Amino acid sequence: MDQYPLFNASYLQRPDPDLPICVEQTVLVWLPLAFLWLCAPWHFANLCKKAAKAPLSKLYICKQVKPRAVDSGSLFVFWLLQVLCAIFQFQTLLRDALNKEEIADLPRFCLFYISYGLQLIAWVLSAIADVSPENPEARATFLSRITFNWFNSMVIKGYKRPLVQEDMWDLNEKDSSQAICQGFEDIMAIELKKARSSLQKKRNKPKTKDGHQNGLAKGVSQDVLVMKEKKKKKKEKKDSESEYPNSWLVPTIAKTFKGVLLESAFFKLIQDLLSFASPQLLKLMISFTQDKSSQAWTGYLYAVLLLVVAFLQSVILQQYFQRCFILGMKVRTALMAAVYKKALVVSNDSRKESTAGEIVNLMSADAQRFNDVTNFIHLLWSCPLQIALAIAFLWIELGPSVLAGLLVMVLMVPINGWLATKSRGFQMENMKFKDKRMKIVNDILNGIKVLKYYAWESSFEAQVQEIREQELKVMRKFAYLSSVSTFIFSCAPAIVSLATFAVFVSVSPNNILDAEKAFTSISLFNILRFPLAMLPQLISIMVQTAVSKKRLEKFLSGDDLDTMAIARDDSHMIILFSVSLDIKPGRLVAVVGAVGSGKTSLISALLGELHSLKGRINIKGSVAFVPQQAWIQNATLKDNVLFGSDVNEERYRSVVEGCALGPDLDLLPGRDQTEIGEKGINLSGGQKQRVSLARAVYSSADVYLLDDPLSAVDSHVGKHLFERVIGPKGLLKDKTRILVTHGISFLPYVDEIVVLVNGVVSEVGSYDGLRASKGAFSEFLETYGKDESSNANSDFEQIDMLPEGLEPQADGSPEDIVSSTLKRENSLRHSQRHSKQNGSVSLRKSSSVRSKKDSDDKKGQRLIEKEAMETGRVKFSVYLQYLRSMGWCLVTWSFLFYFIQNVAIIGQNLWLSDWTDDSVKYFNTTYPNHIRDTRIGVFGALGVAQGFLVFLGTILLADGSISASRSLHTSLLSNILKVPMVFFDTTPSGRIVNRFAKDIFTVDEMIPMSFRSWILCLLGVLGTLFVICLATPIFTAVVVPMAVIYYFVQRFYVATSRQLRRLDSVSRSPIYSHFGETVSGLSVIRAYGHQQRFLKQNEDTIDQNLKSVYPWIVSNRWLAMRLESLGNLVVFFSALFAVISRDSLNSGLVGLSISYALNVTQTLNWLVRMTSELETNIVAVERVREYAEIKNEAPWITTNRPPDDWPTDGNINFENYKVRYRPELELILHGITCDIQSTEKIGIVGRTGAGKSSLTNCLFRIIEASEGQILVDGIDISTLGLHDLRSRLTIIPQDPVLFSGTLRMNLDPFEKSSDEEIWTVLELAHLKDYVRGLPTGLQHVVSEGGENLSVGQRQLLCLARALLRKSRILILDEATAAVDLETDDLIQNTIRTEFSHCTVLTIAHRLNTILDSSRVMVLDSGKIVEFDSPSVLLNNKQGHFYAMAKDAGIRGGETSKPTNMSTDL
C-alpha cells in the first residue's frame, strides 16, 4: 500500500478530481459497515422479541434479514451507502482500463462489477415492501415513509371526488383510543395517588380552622334531604379547601408518551444543527464565484451539497412534525377519554361545581389547548439552542458588532411580550362579550316561540346588537394592536441587519462589507427570526395551557360517587335513616306530597346520587329508574327501549304493548327504527315518558324507582299504563316498585303510601288506614281529592287506546346549555350508521331507516332535515361577497400598500448587493465616509419604509374586516328573527347556534388573519422568483414547469385537506353530543349500571374522529414534503445557474439570489397552507349567508295599521279556516267556522293531535292560512303586520319560558311600564312576597331557562306577563301536570277575576278547569265536532265530550267544579 499514500491533495487540484486508491479501498469500504454496526443493537432487540409469522413471499426470502417489519430503514441506508461509496472504485477501475487500454486484473474487475450490480439490486429490493396489511401506512417502505408516498392513494381519491368517512383507513392499533387511554389511565392513577398524599401532608400541617368545624357540625341537619343546609355547608367547604391535588397532569402526560417525546426531540436536534449548514455552504458558494481560479467542479459540488443538506433537513423536519402532531392528537384523545370516564363516576358535589357546558368545554377547548401546546413543546429548548448557535456563527462572521443587532432583537422581546399581554387582555374581554352575546342568542332560540307570540324580537335584537358593538370595539383595538406588532415584526430584520452592518462598518475603516459576510449573516439573521418570533407566542400558549391544566386537574381529581352509600345485599328492605322506610320485596309503594316536599330527592337518595351525611341504604337486586324528565338518547326508538340489552322479540312486544307504544309506532315514519332526534325532539312529552318507562320495564330489574312517570301522559293513557304495567295486575306485579305520583286516582290500588312533608316522612300506611288517621294525608285528600269510593268499585274500565299523535311542533322541555354547545351535524355519521345496519355500503341519503311500505316516503316526514355539508371548491362569488362587505376601497388601498412594501424589500436587498460590490471597487484603498453614510442611510430608510407600509396596509385591512364582521352578523341576526316558526321546528337549535358562534368567530378572527397572511405570502413568493430571475435570467426556464407542478400539488392537497377538515368537524360533533347526552342522563346510566357500555361507545366515537384527524395530519406532511422538495430544487437551480454563469455574475447577486432561494421553501409552504386555510375559513361566510337569505315570514309592520285601542271588544270570527304546517303536508284544520262573542270564556278540548294548539298558532299567524280568514273585531288579521297583531293579543304558553336577565326584563323588555304597575301584577300573580324577599327584588337575575325558579313560580311569572299586557283577548294554553294543584288554583282564580272583561280561549288538558266556561269547543282531527255550553254537552250521552268526562270521572249534570286531581286529557 505504500505506493498509494492515504491522502494526496494533488488529486483534487485538477479539473477531473479523484480520490487516492487507498481511501477508496479502506475508508469507503468501512463507512457503510460502521453504519451497520451502529444500528446492530436495534436489530438484535427486534430479533429477541417474539417474531411474528411473516408470509414466505419470494421477496421476503430474497431479503431474509429482519423479521416483524415491512422493511428496514437501516438496511436501506446501508445499501445506499454501499452503492454510493463503490462509485469511486467503479470509475477508478474504468479510468485505468481506458487509460492503459487493457484490464490488469480481469477476475477482480469482473467480480467488482458483478457485486456492484448485486448491491444495486439489494438496494432496490430493500425499498420494496414484503407484507401487505390493510392500512397502506403499515405496508409502506422506508423510502415511502420518509416521503409520505404511501398517502398518495388517499390524495388521488380525494381529488377525484369528495372523501367520505368510509374512505378513511382503519387506525393503527397503537393510535386507537383504547390503546392510548389504557396507558394514560394506569400512569394517571399512580400520579394522582402521589399528588393526593402530598396534599394530605400539606393539610395535616396544623391549621386552626375553628369556623370550619363549626360549620360542618351545623351542616349535619336533622334530615338527609334538606338541601338548604347542604348548600351552606358547601360554601364553607369551598372557602376552606380551594386546594385540590395539583401538578400531576403534566408528569402523567410526559411519562405516558415519553417514547414519542424523545424521538421527536432527537429529530429536532439534528434538524437545528443542519439548518446552520446552508449559510456556511452559501458562504463557500460566494467565495467560489469571487475566486475565478477555483476549479469548476467545486461549484457543482457545493450546489449538490446544498440540495442534499436541504433534502435531509426536509425529511427530518417532516418526521419531527409528524411525531409532534401525532403526540398532540394522542394527548387530546387521552384527556377527552379521561374527562368522559370521570364524568360517569363523579360525585354530585363535584358535579355541581361545573355545569354540563363547562364539562363539555373541558373536553373540547382544554383538551385542544394541550393538543396545541404539545405540537410546539420542543421549542422550549430548541429556540434557545438556535439563538445561541446563530449568534456564535454571526460572531465568526462579523465579530463583536453582532451585539448591536442582538441588542435590537432583545429589545424587541419585551415590546412583543407587552403587546402579547395587552392583546390577551383584549381577547379575554372579547370572550366575555362573546359569551354574553351567545347566552342571549341561545335564549332567543330556546324561547323563539314566546318572542314571536309577544312580538318581543326587536327588543332582543337590540340587546344582541348592543353587545356585538362592544365586541367589535374591542376587536378593533385588538386589530390595531396586532398591526403594531406586525409593524415591529416586519421592521425587525431590516433594523437588526442595519444596526449590525452600520456598527461593523463604522468600528474600523478596515472592516469592509463584502458579499460573503453580508449574505451569510443575512441568512443567519433569517434563521434567528423564527425562534425569536416563536418565544413570546410559546409563552402565551403555555400560560393558556396552565389555566386549562388547572381546570382539568380540578375536575379529574374531584371526588367520585360514593358507591358504598348503598349496600346491595340480600336484606329485605330499603332504609334511609331519619327517613326510615322499610319496603318489602314485591310491594307497590306510592310516595306523595306537595311540590318541593322532597319526593325526587328521596329517589335520588335511593340511587345513591345524593351526598349521604349519615345512615345507609340497602337495596336488594338490580335497579331500574324512570326519571321525572324522560331522558331519550339520539338513537332509534328500539335502541332506546333495549338500552343495550339483548333482543327478546316476545318480551319486547309485550313491553311495547304494555307501555301503549303500539299506536305511536304506526305514526312514526320508520316504526321502531325511526331515528329520534337529540333530547327526543320528535316525540311528544307523553311519548318520551312512555319510551322511558318501556326502557325500565324491558330491563326486568328487581327494584323499580318510578319518579312520576304518569304526569306527562293523558289520563286514559295513564290509566292504561297503571293497569298494564305498574299496578297490581301489570307486567311488574312481582317487583318492588316505588312510585312517586300526583294522581290521587291510583292511590287506592297501592300496597303502601308514604307521605312526605318538607323532606320528612310524616306517615306511612295503606290508603284506607291513612284516610282514617286524619293526618297529613287526609288533609292532602281533603284539599285536592274528592271521595272516590263511589267510582272505585267500578274498578278500571277497559278503555279504547287512542294514540298520542305526533305533534308536529316539537315541544320538548326548553333546551339546556349543553345541547346548544353541541353541534348536531349528523350528516355523515347517519349515512355510516345505516350503511352498517343494512349491510350495504352505499351512502344512504336519508338518515332514518324506513320499513318497506314507507319507501315512497312523503317529503316532510322527517322532522329534522340533514345539515348540508358543503363539498367541492368554494364558489368565487363567496370571496367577492366577503371583499364587498369589507369595502372595495379599503381592500384596494391595503393591497397597494403591501405591494409597495414588497418593492421596498427587494430594493433594500439590491442596494445591499450593490453595497457589497464596493469591497471589490475600493480594494486596498480607504473607504470614503460619505459613501459609507449614504449606503447605511438608504439601507435604513428602505427598512423603516417597509414597516410603515405594512402598518398602514394592516390597519386598513383591519377596518375592512371589522365592517365585514358587522354587516354579516347584522344580516344574519335580523334575518333569523324574521324567519317563520316552521324553520325552528325543523332545524336543531345547535345548528343555528353554530352559525352565531363558530362561523361568526371565523369571520371575526380567522378570515382576516388568513387573508392578510395569504397576501403577504403571495407577494413574498413573487418577489423571490423575481430576484432570482434578475440575478440569473436563465432561471425563468425552470420557473414555468415548477409553477405547474406547484399548482397541481396545491390543488390535490387542498381538495383532500379541505374534505378531511370537514370530516373532522363532522365526526367531532358526535363526541360532544354523546357526551352532552351522557351528562344529562347520568342518573339513568348509573341506575342501570351501564357505564362500561357508554365508555365503549365514547371510545368508538373518538376513534371515528381520529380516523379523519390522522390522515389530515399526514396530508399536511405529504404536502410539506412535496413543497419543500420544490423549494430545494429552487435553491439547487439558483446555485447551479450561478455556477454555470459565474463569469458574468458579480458575487453580490449570487449571494442575493441564493439567500433568497433559501428562504423560499418556508414561504411556499405557507402560501399553500394559507390558501387552503382561506378556503376552509371562507366557508363560514357561505354558511352565514345561507341563513341570512332564508325566506321571511310576513312583514312585522305594514302600511295597514289597526287603531291604537284595537281590539276594543274582542270578537273573533273564523270563516272556513284551513291550514297546513308546510305546503307538502296534509291539512291540520279542515275549514273551521265559528263566532266567539266579546268576553266569552271558551274551553277548547280534544285528544292529542286534534289541532288545539294549531288553532292558537293561527290566531298569532305562527302558521299562515291556506284558505279562509280570521276576523278580530271585524279586521282580517292577515292584512296586518305581525307585530301589530301579536302585540295586541296575550297568551300564557304551555311551557313557561323565561330568558336570562332580570325579572323586570322578563316581564317588560321594552321598559314601557312603571315599577308600580309591575308590583301590582306581581301581587295579582301571588309573587309579590317572593320577589320582596329576594335581595335584589325586581333586578333579581333569572338564570338560563329560569333554572333558579321552580316550575310553579315560572308559570306564575308568565301569568304576570299576561296581566301586564292588558289586552282584550287572552289565550291560555294550559300547563300540563308540571304544576301542583295549589299553583293551579291560584292561576285559575286570578284568571277568573282579572280577565273577566276579556275574551278567553283555554286549551284544556284537565276537564275540570273548563266546566265553568261559557261554551266548550270539542275538536277532533282538525274539525269542530261539538260547540256548546258544558251542561248541554254533558247531557248528550252520545257526544265526544261526555265520553271524555266519563273517562275523567265527571258525570253528567255536575257543572260544579269537581277537583279530581290529575285527570289529564
Side-chain angles (χ1 to χ4, degrees):
M1 277 269 174
D2 294 340
Q3 77 248 37
Y4 301 121
L6 187 64
F7 195 74
N8 183 353
S10 65
Y11 276 90
L12 299 179
Q13 310 284 306
R14 55 190 199 197
D16 56 334
D18 199 354
L19 287 175
I21 292 176
C22 190
V23 174
E24 284 177 8
Q25 293 187 351
T26 53
V27 181
L28 293 188
V29 177
W30 297 333
L31 251 177
L33 293 172
F35 174 77
L36 199 57
W37 280 112
L38 277 176
C39 297
W42 275 279
H43 286 256
F44 283 119
N46 268 334
L47 283 171
C48 297
K49 286 185 192 154
K50 203 163 118 245
K53 277 289 289 170
L56 284 172
S57 59
K58 289 175 188 152
L59 182 60
Y60 180 70
I61 296 163
C62 290
K63 43 188 255 199
Q64 178 49 26
V65 184
K66 178 188 177 190
R68 287 193 68 257
V70 178
D71 74 328
S72 153
S74 48
L75 282 183
F76 175 80
V77 178
F78 165 72
W79 288 118
L80 178 66
L81 285 173
Q82 279 280 39
V83 170
L84 288 178
C85 292
I87 283 181
F88 289 99
Q89 266 185 300
F90 186 99
Q91 51 104 34
T92 307
L93 284 174
L94 257 187
R95 265 187 193 180
D96 284 355
L98 290 172
N99 290 342
K100 298 177 182 165
E101 295 190 358
E102 60 155 346
I103 297 169
D105 185 351
L106 188 65
R108 179 162 181 265
F109 186 82
C110 297
L111 280 174
F112 174 79
Y113 284 109
I114 292 170
S115 79
Y116 190 73
L118 289 174
Q119 282 176 357
L120 265 177
I121 292 172
W123 175 56
V124 172
L125 277 183
S126 72
I128 305 172
D130 355 327
V131 280
S132 53
E134 191 38 50
N135 183 342
E137 185 184 9
R139 61 166 182 256
T141 59
F142 175 73
L143 197 62
S144 165
R145 282 202 302 273
I146 61 172
T147 55
F148 295 97
N149 261 342
W150 56 271
F151 193 68
N152 288 353
S153 57
M154 175 85 80
V155 176
I156 292 166
K157 200 183 281 178
Y159 182 69
K160 284 184 186 152
R161 62 173 172 78
L163 292 168
V164 289
Q165 188 73 35
E166 279 79 18
D167 296 326
M168 297 299 122
W169 295 319
D170 290 336
L171 289 172
N172 299 331
E173 189 52 43
K174 60 176 196 306
D175 295 330
S176 70
S177 54
Q178 192 171 2
I180 297 171
C181 307
Q182 205 43 57
F184 182 76
E185 274 162 20
D186 298 344
I187 294 176
M188 180 169 110
I190 301 167
E191 291 294 322
L192 240 178
K193 207 165 164 190
K194 280 188 211 159
R196 283 212 172 105
S197 60
S198 68
L199 180 70
Q200 213 44 51
K201 278 179 201 147
K202 233 192 260 170
R203 277 193 196 152
N204 293 344
K205 286 179 188 158
K207 277 185 194 167
T208 47
K209 276 252 162 122
D210 227 28
H212 178 47
Q213 249 89 46
N214 250 344
L216 269 177
K218 270 190 292 201
V220 181
S221 70
Q222 291 318 294
D223 189 324
V224 188
L225 298 173
V226 175
M227 305 295 251
K228 279 184 187 142
E229 294 288 328
K230 230 175 91 187
K231 282 204 181 108
K232 194 155 100 193
K233 193 187 103 205
K234 213 175 94 192
K235 270 212 183 76
E236 276 158 1
K237 195 165 133 200
K238 242 183 188 159
D239 303 336
S240 69
E241 32 171 28
S242 53
E243 338 139 331
Y244 45 91
N246 52 11
S247 55
W248 52 267
L249 190 56
V250 175
T252 306
I253 293 175
K255 285 179 186 167
T256 314
F257 303 111
K258 54 179 180 289
V260 191
L261 273 167
L262 290 172
E263 260 181 43
S264 49
F266 173 71
F267 282 127
K268 183 70 180 146
L269 182 68
I270 294 186
Q271 200 270 330
D272 285 351
L273 297 175
L274 275 177
S275 61
F276 287 99
S278 303
Q280 298 312 309
L281 285 168
L282 171 67
K283 184 177 173 181
L284 292 170
M285 192 83 212
I286 294 173
S287 67
F288 161 76
T289 43
Q290 282 173 334
D291 175 15
K292 305 289 187 215
S293 65
S294 56
Q295 303 285 352
W297 65 265
T298 49
Y300 293 115
L301 178 68
Y302 294 151
V304 172
L305 273 178
L306 266 175
L307 179 65
V308 170
V309 167
F311 180 73
L312 272 177
Q313 207 178 329
S314 299
V315 167
I316 286 173
L317 183 65
Q318 294 326 313
Q319 289 303 319
Y320 156 74
F321 273 139
Q322 170 82 343
R323 301 273 188 301
C324 278
F325 279 101
I326 298 288
L327 174 68
M329 175 184 96
K330 287 183 169 177
V331 169
R332 193 189 101 207
T333 305
L335 288 174
M336 277 162 77
V339 168
Y340 185 87
K341 192 164 190 174
K342 184 69 185 184
L344 280 178
V345 295
V346 72
S347 72
N348 272 8
D349 282 0
S350 312
R351 187 170 150 212
K352 284 199 189 83
E353 284 173 19
S354 38
T355 63
E358 281 173 344
I359 303 179
V360 172
N361 261 344
L362 285 178
M363 250 187 136
S364 50
D366 295 326
Q368 191 58 44
R369 284 261 167 78
F370 268 92
N371 183 353
D372 297 341
V373 89
T374 38
N375 293 345
F376 302 117
I377 196 74
H378 291 302
L379 295 181
L380 278 178
W381 58 264
S382 154
C383 283
L385 175 77
Q386 284 182 347
I387 292 172
L389 281 173
I391 290 167
F393 280 117
L394 278 165
W395 189 283
I396 297 170
E397 290 302 322
L398 302 173
S401 47
V402 170
L403 298 176
L406 197 68
L407 186 69
V408 176
M409 281 190 166
V410 172
L411 284 177
M412 297 278 178
V413 172
I415 298 178
N416 267 335
W418 177 79
L419 284 172
T421 44
K422 197 86 180 141
S423 57
R424 190 149 67 262
F426 282 148
Q427 264 186 319
M428 297 297 286
E429 209 177 327
N430 206 358
M431 286 312 287
K432 274 215 295 280
F433 287 132
K434 222 182 229 39
D435 288 348
K436 222 160 139 191
R437 174 171 62 89
M438 282 320 299
K439 200 167 159 193
I440 297 187
V441 167
N442 241 331
D443 263 354
I444 289 178
L445 295 177
N446 288 338
I448 186 77
K449 206 165 195 172
V450 173
L451 288 189
K452 289 195 180 299
Y453 281 148
Y454 286 118
W456 279 358
E457 296 102 332
S458 40
S459 151
F460 279 79
E461 184 174 6
Q463 283 184 50
V464 177
Q465 285 293 26
E466 187 187 348
I467 297 174
R468 177 70 178 163
E469 278 310 310
Q470 293 171 297
E471 197 184 342
L472 288 173
K473 222 185 241 140
V474 177
M475 266 171 55
R476 172 169 274 132
K477 285 184 195 162
F478 180 71
Y480 284 175
L481 249 189
S482 60
S483 48
V484 172
S485 66
T486 316
F487 165 67
I488 290 174
F489 191 70
S490 53
C491 277
I495 294 175
V496 169
S497 43
L498 173 72
T500 314
F501 294 154
V503 171
F504 177 72
V505 191
S506 318
V507 176
S508 97
N510 301 336
N511 285 351
I512 289 187
L513 195 63
D514 56 7
E516 228 173 284
K517 283 194 170 62
F519 290 108
T520 310
S521 12
I522 275 190
S523 55
L524 283 167
F525 277 133
N526 278 340
I527 291 180
L528 251 182
R529 272 170 69 177
F530 176 71
L532 282 172
M534 275 314 291
L535 270 179
Q537 267 185 34
L538 191 65
I539 291 163
S540 78
I541 294 181
M542 297 294 272
V543 170
Q544 286 174 346
T545 312
V547 176
S548 293
K549 172 181 119 28
K550 279 197 192 109
R551 289 173 46 173
L552 279 164
E553 284 183 340
K554 182 168 183 188
F555 179 73
L556 289 175
S557 60
D559 301 328
D560 286 358
L561 197 62
D562 180 10
T563 43
M564 304 317 293
I566 298 182
R568 300 224 160 158
D569 62 19
D570 291 343
S571 71
H572 286 286
M573 42 196 180
I574 298 179
I575 306 174
L576 278 104
F577 282 143
S578 82
V579 171
S580 299
L581 285 177
D582 165 352
I583 294 171
K584 302 279 183 293
R587 313 246 339 207
L588 168 56
V589 178
V591 179
V592 295
V595 167
S597 59
K599 301 186 294 289
T600 302
S601 307
L602 172 68
I603 297 279
S604 300
L606 289 176
L607 289 170
E609 296 273 327
L610 285 188
H611 183 69
S612 123
L613 296 177
K614 61 174 195 191
R616 51 192 265 285
I617 303 168
N618 288 344
I619 294 185
K620 181 187 176 188
S622 57
V623 175
F625 168 54
V626 179
Q628 200 170 1
Q629 295 256 311
W631 175 71
I632 303 289
Q633 275 188 286
N634 179 3
T636 63
L637 192 136
K638 187 167 187 173
D639 292 342
N640 262 300
V641 175
L642 296 179
F643 201 56
S645 315
D646 301 328
V647 182
N648 171 344
E649 280 302 331
E650 204 173 318
R651 183 162 105 221
Y652 176 67
R653 266 202 305 279
S654 70
V655 168
V656 167
E657 279 309 301
C659 294
L661 283 167
D664 298 314
L665 290 184
D666 300 335
L667 289 173
L668 292 170
R671 291 192 59 82
D672 61 2
Q673 290 299 324
T674 308
E675 174 99 18
I676 296 176
E678 60 182 70
K679 293 242 255 327
I681 187 136
N682 45 353
L683 295 181
S684 70
Q687 286 168 329
K688 279 193 266 194
Q689 196 61 59
R690 295 206 304 277
V691 169
S692 173
L693 182 63
R695 174 194 300 152
V697 179
Y698 188 82
S699 72
S700 70
D702 302 319
V703 178
Y704 282 80
L705 304 176
L706 310 171
D707 193 355
D708 208 1
L710 301 175
S711 64
V713 296
D714 293 1
S715 61
H716 57 280
V717 180
K719 224 180 238 188
H720 175 95
L721 290 179
F722 188 79
E723 189 174 85
R724 298 282 303 274
V725 181
I726 303 167
K729 299 200 181 104
L731 290 170
L732 303 178
K733 55 178 181 288
D734 307 326
K735 315 277 191 187
T736 312
R737 292 142 293 166
I738 297 179
L739 171 69
V740 171
T741 184
H742 281 156
I744 292 182
S745 49
F746 305 124
L747 295 181
Y749 305 100
V750 303
D751 301 325
E752 205 167 8
I753 297 173
V754 176
V755 184
L756 287 178
V757 180
N758 295 333
V760 180
V761 173
S762 72
E763 325 176 68
V764 180
S766 67
Y767 181 74
D768 298 328
L770 288 180
R771 275 183 59 217
S773 70
K774 295 276 179 262
F777 180 64
S778 54
E779 277 174 37
F780 180 73
L781 283 182
E782 286 307 309
T783 336
Y784 297 128
K786 218 169 118 284
D787 180 358
E788 292 191 359
S789 55
S790 56
N791 65 344
N793 52 17
S794 64
D795 215 348
F796 284 128
E797 300 166 22
Q798 185 59 42
I799 39 170
D800 292 335
M801 272 297 308
L802 267 151
E804 220 177 308
L806 240 188
E807 289 243 347
Q809 73 277 40
D811 304 331
S813 52
E815 298 206 13
D816 61 339
I817 316 173
V818 197
S819 63
S820 46
T821 355
L822 301 174
K823 317 299 184 259
R824 176 174 159 84
E825 295 162 333
N826 45 15
S827 38
L828 279 179
R829 78 198 143 117
H830 282 309
S831 61
Q832 212 181 341
R833 186 181 305 156
H834 296 307
S835 61
K836 273 187 209 145
Q837 268 175 12
N838 304 338
S840 69
V841 193
S842 64
L843 219 158
R844 297 273 308 241
K845 276 291 181 289
S846 124
S847 40
S848 67
V849 180
R850 303 264 162 64
S851 54
K852 288 277 181 293
K853 63 170 188 196
D854 282 354
S855 53
D856 56 347
D857 178 23
K858 301 188 197 72
K859 183 167 163 16
Q861 230 175 28
R862 282 220 18 94
L863 178 71
I864 290 173
E865 297 305 321
K866 258 178 20 179
E867 176 162 19
M869 186 181 84
E870 292 300 327
T871 50
R873 289 184 66 167
V874 183
K875 297 178 203 65
F876 190 62
S877 62
V878 180
Y879 293 100
L880 286 181
Q881 176 173 20
Y882 183 71
L883 292 177
R884 203 176 307 124
S885 51
M886 282 176 76
W888 285 112
C889 178
L890 288 172
V891 177
T892 324
W893 273 107
S894 57
F895 187 81
L896 246 172
F897 281 132
Y898 281 146
F899 183 75
I900 302 172
Q901 178 248 350
N902 230 13
V903 173
I905 295 183
I906 294 173
Q908 188 188 24
N909 283 319
L910 286 171
W911 181 261
L912 181 67
S913 110
D914 204 42
W915 182 358
T916 57
D917 293 343
D918 290 354
S919 65
V920 186
K921 205 189 289 175
Y922 296 102
F923 193 59
N924 286 339
T925 60
T926 47
Y927 194 42
N929 280 356
H930 67 275
I931 294 188
R932 184 191 71 196
D933 296 343
T934 327
R935 290 290 189 204
I936 293 175
V938 173
F939 188 76
L942 283 170
V944 177
Q946 290 170 41
F948 275 110
L949 289 163
V950 166
F951 180 62
L952 288 172
T954 311
I955 273 194
L956 290 176
L957 260 190
D959 274 355
S961 59
I962 282 173
S963 74
S965 288
R966 177 181 291 120
S967 73
L968 284 168
H969 180 268
T970 307
S971 63
L972 174 66
L973 178 70
S974 64
N975 197 62
I976 281 289
L977 289 175
K978 292 194 176 81
V979 162
M981 196 61 218
V982 151
F983 171 76
F984 296 99
D985 288 337
T986 54
T987 312
S989 68
R991 215 180 273 176
I992 309 172
V993 168
N994 216 351
R995 296 291 189 278
F996 279 100
K998 187 149 171 290
D999 294 328
I1000 289 289
F1001 170 77
T1002 310
V1003 170
D1004 288 351
E1005 310 210 351
M1006 315 297 277
I1007 295 182
M1009 273 182 41
S1010 42
F1011 185 58
R1012 190 180 76 207
S1013 314
W1014 182 77
I1015 290 183
L1016 286 172
C1017 282
L1018 180 69
L1019 292 171
V1021 170
L1022 293 176
T1024 304
L1025 295 177
F1026 172 74
V1027 169
I1028 299 177
C1029 293
L1030 193 79
T1032 47
I1034 188 175
F1035 186 77
T1036 39
V1038 187
V1039 170
V1040 179
M1042 287 183 82
V1044 173
I1045 297 174
Y1046 176 78
Y1047 175 77
F1048 277 109
V1049 167
Q1050 195 248 12
R1051 282 268 43 102
F1052 266 93
Y1053 163 77
V1054 168
T1056 306
S1057 159
R1058 184 181 49 221
Q1059 202 57 21
L1060 285 171
R1061 276 310 279 275
R1062 285 177 182 154
L1063 282 173
D1064 170 29
S1065 68
V1066 167
S1067 63
R1068 198 174 282 201
S1069 308
I1071 299 180
Y1072 305 142
S1073 316
H1074 177 238
F1075 184 59
E1077 215 168 63
T1078 308
V1079 172
S1080 55
L1082 260 181
S1083 48
V1084 179
I1085 296 170
R1086 285 175 184 170
Y1088 286 97
H1090 277 232
Q1091 291 94 325
Q1092 278 312 312
R1093 184 165 71 86
F1094 276 81
L1095 278 174
K1096 180 82 188 77
Q1097 195 181 338
N1098 182 50
E1099 273 177 10
D1100 295 344
T1101 343
I1102 292 182
D1103 278 347
Q1104 282 303 326
N1105 176 239
L1106 292 185
K1107 274 187 185 178
S1108 49
V1109 177
Y1110 187 76
W1112 181 71
I1113 293 174
V1114 178
S1115 74
N1116 283 338
R1117 303 282 66 83
W1118 179 89
L1119 169 81
M1121 206 51 227
R1122 307 280 171 288
L1123 291 186
E1124 294 210 350
S1125 308
L1126 269 183
N1128 299 340
L1129 286 177
V1130 172
V1131 176
F1132 174 65
F1133 282 121
S1134 63
L1136 188 70
F1137 295 143
V1139 176
I1140 292 173
S1141 49
R1142 69 167 171 166
D1143 303 330
S1144 57
L1145 276 188
N1146 64 18
S1147 55
L1149 273 178
V1150 172
L1152 182 63
S1153 78
I1154 296 178
S1155 67
Y1156 250 76
L1158 282 174
N1159 225 7
V1160 79
T1161 335
Q1162 245 173 346
T1163 332
L1164 271 181
N1165 224 335
W1166 268 113
L1167 184 61
V1168 168
R1169 210 45 66 74
M1170 284 302 127
T1171 310
S1172 105
E1173 201 159 293
L1174 195 57
E1175 266 208 25
T1176 313
N1177 288 337
I1178 206 85
V1179 173
V1181 175
E1182 193 172 26
R1183 287 165 54 110
V1184 168
R1185 189 171 75 166
E1186 176 197 352
Y1187 273 23
E1189 290 169 356
I1190 298 172
K1191 208 163 106 271
N1192 288 347
E1193 53 186 358
W1196 282 348
I1197 290 172
T1198 55
T1199 44
N1200 177 19
R1201 307 212 45 180
D1204 284 345
D1205 55 351
W1206 177 86
T1208 40
D1209 305 329
N1211 297 323
I1212 306 172
N1213 308 70
F1214 285 84
E1215 295 178 4
N1216 187 23
Y1217 196 77
K1218 296 182 182 174
V1219 73
R1220 45 171 61 102
Y1221 269 101
R1222 304 208 283 284
E1224 69 272 10
L1225 295 181
E1226 304 287 308
L1227 284 175
I1228 40 174
L1229 293 181
H1230 301 269
I1232 297 261
T1233 305
C1234 65
D1235 291 344
I1236 295 168
Q1237 303 308 317
S1238 174
T1239 74
E1240 263 198 305
K1241 309 286 177 277
I1242 302 290
I1244 304 175
V1245 294
R1247 304 281 185 200
T1248 311
K1252 306 186 295 265
S1253 307
S1254 314
L1255 200 61
T1256 52
N1257 284 343
C1258 296
L1259 265 177
F1260 285 90
R1261 283 175 61 199
I1262 297 288
I1263 323 172
E1264 297 283 359
S1266 41
E1267 210 181 306
Q1269 55 180 9
I1270 301 178
L1271 303 176
V1272 174
D1273 280 2
I1275 295 183
D1276 179 357
I1277 61 169
S1278 61
T1279 59
L1280 300 174
L1282 291 181
H1283 274 192
D1284 281 337
L1285 168 67
R1286 292 172 182 170
S1287 57
R1288 308 297 173 84
L1289 307 174
T1290 302
I1291 185 169
I1292 302 181
Q1294 198 172 2
D1295 301 319
V1297 177
L1298 299 183
F1299 301 99
S1300 43
T1302 59
L1303 272 179
R1304 194 193 154 102
M1305 186 218 75
N1306 266 296
L1307 291 170
D1308 178 29
F1310 291 104
E1311 313 225 330
K1312 286 181 182 161
S1313 315
S1314 63
D1315 278 7
E1316 286 72 54
E1317 292 176 284
I1318 289 182
W1319 282 111
T1320 318
V1321 298
L1322 284 177
E1323 187 168 12
L1324 293 170
H1326 309 280
L1327 281 171
K1328 188 172 184 177
D1329 300 341
Y1330 170 72
V1331 179
R1332 272 274 151 77
L1334 295 171
T1336 45
L1338 283 177
Q1339 296 306 313
H1340 175 67
V1341 176
V1342 177
S1343 68
E1344 192 157 2
E1347 293 290 319
N1348 53 0
L1349 300 173
S1350 77
V1351 180
Q1353 286 165 336
R1354 286 184 236 167
Q1355 200 72 51
L1356 291 173
L1357 261 180
C1358 292
L1359 176 65
R1361 250 184 221 166
L1363 288 165
L1364 198 60
R1365 293 191 52 132
K1366 307 189 191 62
S1367 68
R1368 293 302 304 263
I1369 297 178
L1370 169 72
I1371 289 134
L1372 190 61
D1373 195 347
E1374 191 187 290
T1376 34
V1379 181
D1380 61 316
L1381 300 177
E1382 273 171 283
T1383 320
D1384 203 29
D1385 274 351
L1386 293 178
I1387 295 179
Q1388 292 300 335
N1389 292 332
T1390 308
I1391 289 172
R1392 274 196 197 91
T1393 50
E1394 293 304 316
F1395 292 107
S1396 55
H1397 62 291
C1398 305
T1399 308
V1400 181
L1401 305 182
T1402 306
I1403 294 181
H1405 294 264
R1406 306 179 191 169
L1407 288 190
N1408 49 21
T1409 52
I1410 53 154
L1411 285 180
D1412 56 347
S1413 46
S1414 354
R1415 286 194 287 169
V1416 173
M1417 177 191 295
V1418 184
L1419 288 174
D1420 188 29
S1421 52
K1423 301 185 186 65
I1424 298 184
V1425 283
E1426 296 177 10
F1427 191 18
D1428 212 327
S1429 69
S1431 48
V1432 175
L1433 292 180
L1434 277 174
N1435 290 329
N1436 170 8
K1437 298 273 194 310
Q1438 269 66 52
H1440 285 68
F1441 188 64
Y1442 177 79
M1444 293 178 188
K1446 191 167 160 227
D1447 280 352
I1450 301 172
R1451 281 172 310 290
E1454 294 186 14
T1455 44
S1456 67
K1457 180 168 177 291
T1459 45
N1460 180 355
M1461 179 165 178
S1462 175
T1463 46
D1464 298 348
L1465 197 70

